[in-house]
Amino acid sequence: MLIAASFISLNAVCQGNYILKNNVKSLYRPMPEYQLGKMPVDNVGGGKETAKNPYSATFQLHTNSLYDLALCPNVGLEFQTSLGLAFQFDYIGAWWNSPSRNRFYSNYAFQSEIRYYFSNDHTTIRPFRGLHAGVYGQMATYDFEFGSEGYQSPSLEMSWGLGLSGGYTLPISRKWSLDFTLGFGYFQSKYYTYDPKPYIQKSWQKTGTKRFTFWGPTKAEVSLVWNINKSNK
């Protein structure tokens, strides 16, 4: 009986040590990748690619070639979050003036937009691609005159507009993309008409005050995009 009791006690101790050992190991078991903040994503070359920080913002610079063709230099900055939301800020400016010939082609505009990229899957590290939609706002001031009647918006009462946009961003290389966007909305402007001929004497004669309102397409982009801190690979 004493031998049997000793055997049973030894067996219980061994089983207890085995259970304790497995529980201690479970405490140090490696955590899954998603718990460590490393999210596996698809790689174009095959296999998996891990985003070290999927919640970091991604930045890009762009220029709208349609404005460039209209001799309006412009530059824009956009940054996108991991949730597919992107925030865009654009500046457009032209300053082609020749007072001695009564020629003025000046405008300064600011444009901002909030976008959502539908192709975002919350894990990708390849941003700014696919279909997107957004809401945008615009502010501008201008002075146009080509030898006859001139049109100038008052700088303290800038023209403004609001609208909805949709488009598609197409990657063309590791760092470069093309963005096609069209926006529809409302735009209004108060402006002066003036006779430019007296401007030779450093003055001009205002001939009227008018207001312009428009519903329709107010934004068009064919932009060249450069991804700053992430690539299209």
Side-chain angles (χ1 to χ4, degrees), residues 60-66 68 72-76 222-225:
Q60 57 103 309
L61 290 175
H62 59 264
T63 182
N64 188 348
S65 60
L66 300 182
D68 294 329
C72 293
N74 65 98
V75 64
V222 179
S223 295
L224 182 63
V225 179

Side-chain angles (χ1 to χ4, degrees), residues 62 75-79 87-91 110-113:
H62 59 264
V75 64
L77 172 68
E78 182 175 346
F79 65 94
F87 302 87
Q88 185 181 103
F89 304 92
D90 298 334
Y91 170 76
F110 303 92
Q111 190 168 255
S112 61
E113 180 176 351

Side-chain angles (χ1 to χ4, degrees), residues 1-10:
M1 294 292 292
L2 180 59
I3 296 175
S6 299
F7 178 78
I8 293 174
S9 298
L10 180 62

